[in-house]
Amino acid sequence: MHISSSEASRKSHEPELVGARALPEWITGEQEQYSRVFLVESGASAETVAAVAREDDAVLLHAQSGPYDGPADAIRFTGALSEVGDELFLGERGVELQDYVAAAFVQIIGPTTVGFFDETGWQSFLDDADLARRTGVFPSSLIDPRVLLANRRALAAPGELATPSAIRVGSDGRISVGLQGEVIGEVDELATVIESRFPRAVALGGMVPRQALIEGLTGRGWIGRYLHATDLIKMLRLANGVEKISGFGWSLVDDARADAEPSASDPFLLETSDGFVLADVTTLRRQLLSPMTAKVVDATQTSSAPEIAVDRLARECGLSESDANALCRDAATALNIHFGTRAHAPRHTASGSGR
């Protein structure tokens, strides 16, 4: 195998770090370090990718994909991630591909990616999300820290138009999106298709009709919040279904007047054995709250406008509207919480303890 001088230079510059960052971004479609990540299969043309990849991109190159001489960070891999049971290796570190349904029944022994390969798996994902919404009990595979859910970005915003950030260059010359996405062009069209905008749902492939897939997710406007909740459980190592997470089987202010969903990225209100906690999966910040402050947070996040939150809080706590307004305003500033987005369906929650 021939490696160009520029690739050799990059390989000597923290290749493990390149792989550790680039592969999860390609699997999930979530951009953090790189603008785009290309995966070049065995036998596919690396030269075509080198011509379009930029310095802020990354390229995952199969060991047999040919020489690469481009500006993007690059690392070689062996194996594949196409069919259930496949394993891809970056050096000695590997990740296995599992079907979403099967992942609940197999022993997870190392880094694993789960995806949807048929309508059964897709419906199971939606059913599991609905169950977590009602009860606060999450599917075991999604809260295992060794598991990555494929195409997460598409799940959170399936109808959003965007240029692809996770691109597969197949050995057959076809270009597709992410781990299991639809074919969007041929290799000689690469420069054009990667600058074209597609619904993010193309990353989820053709297991169900695209419009039905988009409707199934957009009808659950809390899916993004659900995915962040699985991160929260991993982050805090919460016992599944024991600690209470607002919006998932529990609400502290249970007055049947909540009309909004918290934004996916807003901090989470929890009730734990230590008391009420506000936890942010983005900043990793956690802080204990008084019962009153916890009610302010819950009323604010589940109301679509300040006047609704103020009225709910005043009624819940026996406060004047001016006092309730001051509390909501101060909490929004100090705790970085926001009013929610109007919900299309009622929240299914159990009563809060209000302690």
Side-chain angles (χ1 to χ4, degrees):
M1 177 181 68
H2 171 73
I3 298 177
S4 68
S5 59
S6 60
E7 182 181 353
S9 174
R10 280 189 298 275
K11 285 177 70 65
S12 65
H13 184 255
E14 300 182 338
E16 296 84 1
L17 185 58
V18 173
R21 289 172 171 173
L23 183 57
E25 290 188 27
W26 184 81
I27 290 171
T28 64
E30 296 178 328
Q31 299 158 269
E32 294 183 17
Q33 180 71 22
Y34 298 105
S35 293
R36 301 175 300 196
V37 180
F38 297 82
L39 184 141
V40 183
E41 292 184 346
S42 173
S45 171
E47 292 181 0
T48 303
V49 175
V52 299
R54 304 184 300 243
E55 290 185 359
D56 57 349
D57 295 333
V59 181
L60 302 168
L61 294 154
H62 193 276
Q64 298 177 350
S65 61
Y68 172 81
D69 189 12
D73 284 342
I75 186 172
R76 296 277 174 175
F77 69 88
T78 57
L81 279 184
S82 299
E83 306 291 336
V84 173
D86 280 353
E87 289 185 89
L88 182 149
F89 292 92
L90 298 171
E92 296 182 353
R93 298 184 178 183
V95 59
E96 181 182 357
L97 180 57
Q98 275 291 348
D99 175 70
Y100 177 84
V101 175
F105 302 99
V106 300
Q107 183 179 8
I108 304 294
I109 59 175
T112 302
T113 293
V114 296
F116 314 110
F117 293 89
D118 54 33
E119 189 171 357
T120 299
W122 175 243
Q123 190 58 53
S124 294
F125 169 75
L126 296 180
D127 291 344
D128 285 346
D130 289 340
L131 180 65
R133 174 76 164 169
R134 294 193 307 270
T135 68
V137 177
F138 290 74
S140 59
S141 59
L142 292 193
I143 58 175
D144 189 312
R146 295 165 294 186
V147 171
L148 277 178
L149 178 61
N151 307 307
R152 273 185 50 146
R153 187 68 181 88
L155 294 169
E160 182 179 82
L161 294 176
T163 56
S165 63
I167 300 117
R168 184 195 291 267
V169 182
S171 57
D172 58 0
R174 295 182 176 184
I175 307 300
S176 57
V177 180
L179 189 144
Q180 60 195 103
E182 298 177 26
V183 173
I184 58 173
E186 302 293 330
V187 69
D188 57 1
E189 305 170 310
L190 182 60
T192 300
V193 297
I194 62 174
E195 298 297 337
S196 302
R197 290 160 60 85
F198 303 91
R200 291 194 184 275
V202 301
L204 298 170
M207 57 190 165
V208 295
R210 186 192 297 175
Q211 191 56 39
L213 186 150
I214 291 175
E215 290 174 357
L217 290 169
T218 55
R220 295 168 171 85
W222 41 268
I223 281 289
R225 187 78 169 164
Y226 167 70
L227 297 175
H228 278 292
T230 64
D231 296 334
L232 176 77
I233 294 172
K234 295 176 185 179
M235 181 181 92
L236 299 183
R237 299 183 180 180
L238 300 177
N240 194 11
V242 177
E243 282 89 355
K244 298 174 181 177
I245 303 174
S246 181
F248 296 93
W250 172 73
S251 179
L252 183 58
V253 180
D254 188 35
D255 58 0
R257 300 180 64 222
D259 73 332
E261 297 292 341
S263 71
S265 59
D266 240 34
F268 284 87
L269 176 66
L270 301 90
E271 185 180 24
T272 72
S273 58
D274 295 325
F276 296 109
V277 176
L278 191 67
D280 192 325
V281 297
T282 302
T283 65
L284 308 183
R285 183 182 180 189
R286 291 172 286 169
Q287 55 194 123
L288 283 170
L289 305 178
S290 68
M292 174 63 79
T293 302
K295 287 186 176 182
V296 174
V297 169
D298 203 39
T300 299
Q301 291 184 319
T302 60
S303 297
S304 62
E307 60 271 17
I308 297 174
V310 167
D311 184 59
R312 293 177 63 205
L313 188 63
R315 291 170 182 260
E316 176 75 16
C317 302
L319 301 172
S320 67
E321 288 201 357
S322 61
D323 287 343
N325 182 62
L327 287 171
C328 289
R329 185 178 61 248
D330 291 347
T333 301
L335 302 175
N336 193 33
I337 61 171
H338 304 86
F339 296 101
T341 302
R342 189 176 294 277
H344 299 292
R347 291 161 58 88
H348 300 288
T349 56
S351 298
S353 68
R355 79 162 186 243

